[in-house]
Amino acid sequence: MVPNMVPHTSCPVDLKVETPKVLFLCTGNSCRSQMAEGFLRRRAGNRIEVASAGTNPAGLNPAAVAVMLEVGIDISSQASKHIDSLVEEPFTDVITVCDSARESCPTFPSETNQLHWSLEDPAQAEGSEEDRLAVFRRVRDRIDTLVGDYVDF
């Protein structure tokens, strides 16, 4: 509350502000969008409703779960969802996190802000387990930075 301000209970104007709703969208909804959902939930708490979905859901990637646990975020209860199950939701912002999803993104109402973060797909990483996890960590850290910038904007 602002100092020296007294709430006025009979204000004729509805000052209720809707909670913003953000959707992270990628192809598989298995890594990038799931990590982004986890980071935004932690940073924004109940100030923002957050969801993720994919154009071709592939199930939650265990490596994404593992690298998120390394930074204290448990996304293991999140589930891969198809965008069709959420397309009617009134999202404030839709953030695509891969180029493929951007190209096949469904049409949202004109009042929906559409943003794009071009991120490499850690699920495509090759090499040893440690090499693959290094890619997941790099993408995770980039997502953390982008979500931080988004929340601070």
Side-chain angles (χ1 to χ4, degrees):
M1 181 181 245
V2 178
N4 302 321
M5 292 279 299
V6 177
H8 191 283
T9 57
S10 62
C11 182
V13 179
D14 182 9
L15 297 177
K16 181 182 176 195
V17 176
E18 295 283 328
T19 302
K21 290 180 79 169
V22 176
L23 172 66
F24 290 103
L25 180 64
C26 68
T27 303
N29 190 219
S30 65
C31 302
R32 295 164 289 188
S33 55
Q34 295 285 352
M35 289 191 281
E37 179 180 350
F39 276 121
L40 187 55
R41 277 188 204 288
R42 181 174 72 177
R43 286 181 180 270
N46 61 1
R47 295 180 299 136
I48 298 174
E49 290 182 45
V50 60
S52 66
T55 57
N56 187 24
L60 190 57
N61 188 303
V65 174
V67 299
M68 290 299 284
L69 281 173
E70 292 175 355
V71 294
I73 300 174
D74 184 1
I75 63 170
S76 64
S77 64
Q78 292 177 196
S80 239
K81 297 166 288 304
H82 195 281
I83 184 57
D84 289 350
S85 67
L86 298 172
V87 77
E88 296 298 321
E89 293 286 325
F91 289 103
T92 312
D93 295 324
V94 173
I95 303 173
T96 51
V97 294
C98 73
D99 298 333
S100 175
R102 181 183 191 187
E103 292 167 11
S104 59
C105 188
T107 303
F108 287 90
S110 60
E111 60 272 2
T112 301
N113 299 311
Q114 293 190 19
L115 304 153
H116 178 65
W117 300 344
S118 184
L119 297 164
E120 72 178 297
D121 185 357
Q124 301 300 316
E126 296 180 352
S128 69
E129 182 70 15
E130 195 52 42
D131 291 342
R132 291 180 61 251
L133 285 174
V135 174
F136 273 86
R137 290 181 184 113
R138 183 176 63 241
V139 172
R140 174 202 64 200
D141 295 346
R142 179 69 181 134
I143 292 169
D144 186 22
T145 299
L146 289 167
V147 168
D149 292 346
Y150 174 81
V151 170
D152 292 341
F153 180 68

